[in-house]
Amino acid sequence: MLMLALRGIRLRWVTFVGSFIALVLGVGLIAATGLALAATFDAPERGPERFAAAPVVVRADALLRVDTPTGTRTAPLDRPGPVPPGLAAQLASLGRTVEDRSFPADIMDPQPGQDDDARVGHPWSVAAAAPYRLATGRAPAAPGDVVVTTGTGGPRLRTGDRVRVRTPAGSEARTVVGTVAGRGFEDAVFLTDDEAARISPDIDALVVHADATAVRDALGPDSGMDVLTGHDLRRADPDPDRDARALVSVNALLGTAAGITLFVSAAVVASTFSYAVAQRRREFGLLRTAGATPGQIRRTVLAESVLVGVAASAAGTLLGAEGAPILVSRMTEAGLAPSWFALGDPSWPLHTAFWAGASVATAAALVSCHRAGRTAPTEALREAAVDSRVMPVSRWAAAVLVLLVGLGLPALALAADPGDLLGRKSYVTRPMVLIVGCALIAPVLVRPVGRLLTWLPARLPGATGVLVRENTAAGVRGTTAVAAPVLITVALAASLTGTVATLEEARATEARTATTADFVVTPGQEGRPLAPAFLERVRNIDGAVVSASRSTAVTVLEENTALVSSEARAVDPARLAAVAKLPVTAGRLAGLDDDAIVVNEEWLTTRVGDRVTVWLGDGSERSLRIAAVLATGTGDNGVYVTPRNAGGADVDRIDVEVAPGGDRRAVAAALDTAAAGTGTRVATRAEWLAPAATGPDDHTRTGLRMILGIALLSTATALANTLVMATSGRRRDLAVLRLAGATVPQVLRLVVAEAVAAVGVGAVLGGVVAAVNLLVVRCALALLGVTSAAVVPWAMLGLVVAAAALLAAGSAVLPALSALRTRPVERAGSRE
C-alpha cells in the first residue's frame, strides 16, 4: 500500500504540489506565530526602572480597596494622592530621605513648526535612585541649571547648550550643565531640588535609605502609604502596566493570526484534496473493475495524503523555526511588540504546528477517501464531464447546521448584548463559521451564480460565452474548487476591514454629533494637562463660551462582587450644553450637579433619581444621584461628573463656542495668541474631528495586513494548483475544440474566461458572507443608538478580486499552452 501511494504521488505530483505548498506555508506560519506566542507567555518579568537602585520607596497607595461579602476587592486608582509633606521629617530618623517630584519639562524647539521635545522633570537628588550617572559636566547647582538625558531620541544636547524649558510654572531659558545616559524608559530633565519643589510642590514619592520593615512599623497599618522594595519597586514606575498591556496585545494578534492560518490552511487543503479525488473517479473506477475493494481505495488515498501531510508539516516546521526571528523583528520594528520582546527556547509550538499540519491533511483526506471508496466500477466508462451528486446528504446536513449556527449566534447576541458583537474576538471569528457554511453549500450555489455571471457573455456574438456558461454549470466540482479559496479571502478581507472601518466611522459619527463647539483645545503632548498660563488667558477671551473639562475615572461595585472602573469627564454643567450634544436616553443633563452623575446604559443602575455609590479617581467615596443616562454607542460615551468630583484631575481639554454675536476670527486669533509658547494645540471642530475619521490606527492596520496576507498567500497557492490540475485534466477537451475549428487564441480565451468566471463565483459568494457580517455589525450599532452607515472596502475588494483573476488566468493559460503543443488528433483519440 505504501509503495502504491508513493508511486501515485510521483505520477500525479501536479495534483499534490499545491496541497504540499499550502500546507508548508500554513504549518510554517503556525510554527512562527506559535514560537512568538510562546514568548509572550514566557517573557521575563520586567524589573524596576525609575527606582531600580532605591532601597525603599514610599508613596500613596495606588490601589482602591473595598471590602465585600466575598472578600476585599482592589482596583487601580486613576490619580493616587501625594505623599504628606511632613512624612520625610518623620522618617528621617530611620535614614536619609529623598523627595521625588515628576512634572512636564518640555524642551522647546527653536525652529517654528517643529515639535517640542517632550520630557519629564525631576529633582537632581533622586537621579541616583534609577541610577543615573553623570556622563559629562556637573550636577545642577543654580536655578537656571539643568542636566538632561541623552541617547533616547530628541535633539542632541551637549553640556553648555542654552535651551528653553517649559514647565507648569512657565517657560524659561536654562543652561545644560551636565548630561546623563538615557535608560530607555523616559527622557528626563533634572533641576535643583529647590527649583523642582517650586514648580511641583506635591511630593510624588519618597526614597528612604532604611530597612523596609522599620519604615512600615513607623508608618503604621492605616497610613494610606505603600512601602515598596525589591521587585515591587516596579509599581512606582511611570505606567508600570504598559509591558503587560503590550504583551496582551501581541498575544491577541498572534493568536488571531495563528487561528486564521489554521482555518485557511484546513479549508484550502480540504478543497484541494476533495477536487483531486473527484478528478480521479475514472481511475478509481478502473481499480474497482480490476478487483480493488472500497477499503483498499480508501487506504490508498489516505496513505497518499498522510505522506504529503507529514512531509509538508516537517518542511513547514523548519520554515517556521527560521521565520520566527524575522517575524518578531518585523513586529518590533512596526511597533506591534515592545522593543525588548524576544523569542524564548520552548519547542512545543513546533510540535504543535507539525501535528496540526498532519492532522489537517489527514482530516481532509478522511472526507475525500470516503467518497473515493464509494466509486463504482462503472465510473471507468464515464465520458461526460457533468458532475452529479455533488451534495450528499451528509454534506447537506453539515451545511445547514453550520449556517444555522453562523446566523443564529449573531441573532442571539443582537437580542441579548449587541455590544458583544463589536469586540475583536467576535468580528474576527464570526465570519469563519459563515465561510465554512457557505463553502459547504457552494456546490448548490455555483450553478445559479455562474449562470447569473455568464448571462450577458452568453448573449454576445460567438460561442465563447455559451461555452463558459455551460462548462461552469457542468463542472460544478472544478468551479467550486477554484471559487472556494476566493470565497475565503474575499469574505475575510471584506469582513475584517469592513468591520473595522465601520466601527471607526461609527465613532467618528458619534464624535461629530456629540461635539458642537467651534474650537477644541488639547495639550500638544498626549497625557499632559493644559498649561496653567493658557487657562488663565483663555478664560478672558471676549465673545467666547469656554467649557473646561478633565479626564478622570469613577469606580462602582457591581453586585457586591466586582469593582468596575469607567472613564469619566468632569465638566461644568452650566457650559456643557453650549459645546456638546450628548445622546441622552433618560433624564436631563441640566440635572448634573456636585451631588449627581451622568451614566450610560452599560451600568447596572440606570434609573434616573436612583443613587449609586462610586469611588472617584483619588479613591474617595461618594453617593451620587443619577441625573441622566446616555446611550451606550460604541463604548466612547462615558460618565460625566462635576469638577468637584474629578478626584484632583487637571484640565486637559477646553471646548470653545463662539457666543451669539461674537467674532469667530477674533476668537480664533485670541486662542492662538493665548496658546503661544504653552505647547497647546488649538483646532477647529473640523480639524479635531479629522483624525477620528481616518480609519484604524497604524497597529490595527498593520495587524490586519498581516492576517490578510496569510489568507492571500494560501489563496494564491490553492488557486494556482487547482487551475493547473483542472486545465491539465482537460487536454482531450481542448483537443476536441481544436478539431472543431477553434484557433489557439480562441481556446486560450475560453480557458481564461472560465477561470475568471470561477473567480467571480467565489467573489460573489464571499461578498454575500461579508454582507451578512457587515449587516450584523450595522444592526448592533443601531441597537446601541449609533446611526452610521456600514463601510464597504471597495478598493481592497477590487484589488483582491483583480489579483485572484490575474493569478487564475495565468495558472490556466500555462498548462493550456502545454496541452495545445500536442497534435489535436493524437490527444482527441487518447483515453486519459
Side-chain angles (χ1 to χ4, degrees):
M1 188 65 66
L2 181 61
M3 293 303 297
L4 184 63
L6 287 171
R7 287 174 182 170
I9 292 173
R10 181 174 60 83
L11 292 173
R12 289 180 299 275
W13 65 271
V14 173
T15 302
F16 295 102
V17 69
S19 299
F20 180 85
I21 295 174
L23 205 53
V24 167
L25 292 174
V27 171
L29 288 166
I30 293 172
T33 53
L35 287 170
L37 193 62
T40 66
F41 300 135
D42 301 329
E45 286 194 44
R46 301 282 290 166
E49 295 174 330
R50 270 290 321 277
F51 299 101
V56 177
V57 170
V58 178
R59 64 166 191 168
D61 194 352
L63 289 178
L64 169 65
R65 304 175 194 275
V66 178
D67 294 328
T68 71
T70 57
T72 301
R73 296 289 180 261
T74 62
L77 288 173
D78 180 65
R79 191 179 178 88
V83 174
L87 193 60
Q90 177 185 340
L91 298 177
S93 60
L94 301 177
R96 184 168 60 90
T97 61
V98 179
E99 299 174 353
D100 176 53
R101 295 173 169 85
S102 298
F103 49 89
D106 302 337
I107 297 178
M108 301 172 66
D109 197 297
Q111 300 296 325
Q114 297 294 318
D115 292 335
D116 296 334
D117 183 14
R119 293 184 177 239
V120 59
H122 300 295
W124 171 250
S125 59
V126 83
Y132 286 106
R133 298 284 186 264
L134 279 171
T136 63
R138 58 172 176 81
D145 295 347
V146 293
V147 172
V148 299
T149 56
T150 60
T152 58
R156 179 71 176 175
L157 298 175
R158 298 179 177 84
T159 299
D161 287 349
R162 290 285 290 176
V163 294
R164 196 163 190 85
V165 181
R166 183 176 55 242
T167 67
S171 58
E172 300 178 40
R174 299 181 182 272
T175 302
V176 177
V177 297
T179 63
V180 295
R183 299 183 61 84
F185 60 89
E186 68 176 357
D187 294 325
V189 175
F190 294 97
L191 296 83
T192 63
D193 291 5
D194 291 341
E195 273 286 277
R198 178 182 66 83
I199 294 170
S200 180
D202 288 341
I203 302 172
D204 297 319
L206 196 64
V207 178
V208 184
H209 293 263
D211 180 69
T213 303
V215 173
R216 290 190 182 95
D217 291 342
L219 291 174
D222 300 321
S223 64
M225 293 292 108
D226 207 358
V227 179
L228 307 176
T229 187
H231 185 77
D232 287 342
L233 291 168
R234 171 77 178 170
R235 286 156 48 192
D237 288 336
D239 195 10
D241 297 327
R242 68 183 185 280
D243 290 332
R245 290 197 303 271
L247 287 180
V248 169
S249 178
V250 172
N251 188 288
L253 174 61
L254 292 173
T256 301
I260 288 182
T261 299
L262 184 61
F263 169 74
V264 173
S265 299
V268 165
V269 171
S271 175
T272 306
F273 272 122
S274 177
Y275 182 60
V277 168
Q279 268 202 323
R280 296 168 63 187
R281 60 179 181 263
R282 287 185 62 196
E283 174 191 335
F284 294 143
L286 286 171
L287 290 174
R288 294 281 284 114
T289 303
T293 66
Q296 289 174 323
I297 298 293
R298 292 190 182 102
R299 286 194 293 274
T300 301
V301 174
L302 184 60
E304 293 172 348
S305 304
V306 169
L307 287 173
V308 171
V310 169
S313 297
T317 302
L318 294 175
L319 178 65
E322 295 296 323
I326 300 174
L327 173 64
V328 170
S329 174
R330 294 292 183 270
M331 289 183 68
T332 55
E333 289 175 3
L336 296 174
S339 58
W340 51 265
F341 184 63
L343 289 175
D345 55 0
S347 59
W348 64 263
L350 299 179
H351 295 285
T352 302
F354 175 84
W355 290 112
S359 300
V360 164
T362 304
L366 286 174
V367 177
S368 301
C369 70
H370 177 70
R371 178 186 299 161
R374 290 189 291 112
T375 304
T378 54
E379 291 290 336
L381 304 176
R382 284 179 62 105
E383 292 292 338
V386 178
D387 291 322
S388 59
R389 297 189 62 215
V390 293
M391 282 289 288
V393 175
S394 58
R395 183 160 181 164
W396 267 111
V400 171
L401 178 62
V402 173
L403 286 174
L404 285 176
V405 171
L407 295 173
L409 291 179
L412 290 175
L414 285 172
D417 183 12
D420 185 59
L421 293 169
L422 305 184
R424 180 189 295 178
K425 288 183 180 178
S426 177
Y427 70 69
V428 168
T429 57
R430 188 176 63 248
M432 296 183 189
V433 182
L434 286 176
I435 288 171
V436 172
C438 193
L440 286 172
I441 206 171
V444 176
L445 303 175
V446 159
R447 191 169 279 127
V449 174
R451 288 192 177 279
L452 177 64
L453 293 179
T454 56
W455 177 82
L456 179 59
R459 278 154 178 75
L460 297 176
T464 301
V466 175
L467 287 173
V468 170
R469 182 189 64 187
E470 298 306 323
N471 288 342
T472 300
V476 172
R477 286 194 175 96
T479 305
T480 303
V482 175
V486 180
L487 185 160
I488 294 170
T489 305
V490 169
L492 280 177
S495 297
L496 294 182
T497 59
T499 299
V500 171
T502 298
L503 293 179
E504 290 296 325
E505 176 60 26
R507 294 188 183 98
T509 300
E510 282 187 313
R512 286 192 293 269
T513 303
T515 303
T516 61
D518 293 308
F519 302 95
V520 178
V521 183
T522 53
Q525 299 292 336
E526 187 177 355
R528 299 285 181 86
L530 286 171
F534 174 79
L535 293 175
E536 291 298 324
R537 298 169 192 168
V538 77
R539 288 193 176 101
N540 299 320
I541 296 178
D542 292 332
V545 178
V546 177
S547 175
S549 62
R550 299 162 170 83
S551 177
T552 183
V554 296
T555 303
V556 63
L557 181 65
E558 292 190 348
E559 298 180 336
N560 281 331
T561 57
L563 287 173
V564 179
S565 296
S566 301
E567 294 182 358
R569 292 210 70 81
V571 297
D572 181 351
R575 297 176 180 267
L576 178 62
V579 297
K581 185 179 179 182
L582 302 179
V584 177
T585 60
R588 296 184 308 114
L589 292 177
L592 178 63
D593 55 32
D594 290 341
D595 188 47
I597 185 173
V598 174
V599 302
N600 59 47
E601 291 176 328
E602 286 188 317
W603 281 46
L604 290 182
T605 304
T606 56
R607 190 168 65 179
V608 175
D610 285 359
R611 301 192 76 85
V612 291
T613 299
V614 301
W615 287 265
L616 305 181
D618 59 359
S620 57
E621 184 178 349
R622 295 280 191 278
S623 176
L624 300 176
R625 169 181 47 84
I626 296 178
V629 181
L630 305 181
T632 302
T634 59
D636 290 339
N637 294 330
V639 176
Y640 286 83
V641 293
T642 60
R644 182 182 175 185
N645 296 321
D650 297 315
V651 174
D652 60 0
R653 172 175 164 177
I654 294 178
D655 293 73
V656 180
E657 177 80 9
V658 179
D663 187 339
R664 181 186 176 90
R665 292 185 179 179
V667 171
L671 287 172
D672 290 337
T673 301
T678 63
T680 303
R681 177 175 179 260
V682 178
T684 63
R685 179 175 178 271
E687 291 171 344
W688 185 77
L689 290 171
T694 57
D697 59 32
D698 290 339
H699 290 183
T700 303
R701 223 180 269 119
T702 303
L704 282 177
R705 282 198 295 265
M706 174 179 166
I707 291 170
L708 293 177
I710 293 169
L712 286 171
L713 196 59
S714 298
T715 296
T717 304
L719 201 59
N721 179 65
T722 303
L723 282 165
V724 168
M725 281 194 301
T727 309
S728 299
R730 296 181 59 198
R731 293 175 181 271
R732 190 160 177 262
D733 295 340
L734 300 181
V736 170
L737 286 173
R738 291 282 286 118
L739 289 175
T743 63
V744 170
Q746 287 175 326
V747 173
L748 294 179
R749 281 198 296 272
L750 173 64
V751 169
V752 169
E754 289 177 354
V756 171
V759 169
V761 171
V764 169
L765 296 179
V768 170
V769 173
V772 172
N773 281 294
L774 290 179
L775 179 62
V776 168
V777 174
R778 179 65 191 86
C779 291
L781 289 171
L783 291 173
L784 293 172
V786 183
T787 55
S788 65
V791 179
V792 181
W794 294 113
M796 172 170 284
L797 287 180
L799 287 174
V800 170
V801 174
L806 288 173
L807 179 64
S811 301
V813 164
L814 292 178
L817 283 173
S818 176
L820 291 173
R821 290 196 185 102
T822 307
R823 293 177 60 193
V825 174
E826 296 176 3
R827 180 57 63 185
S830 66
R831 287 177 63 95
E832 299 173 89

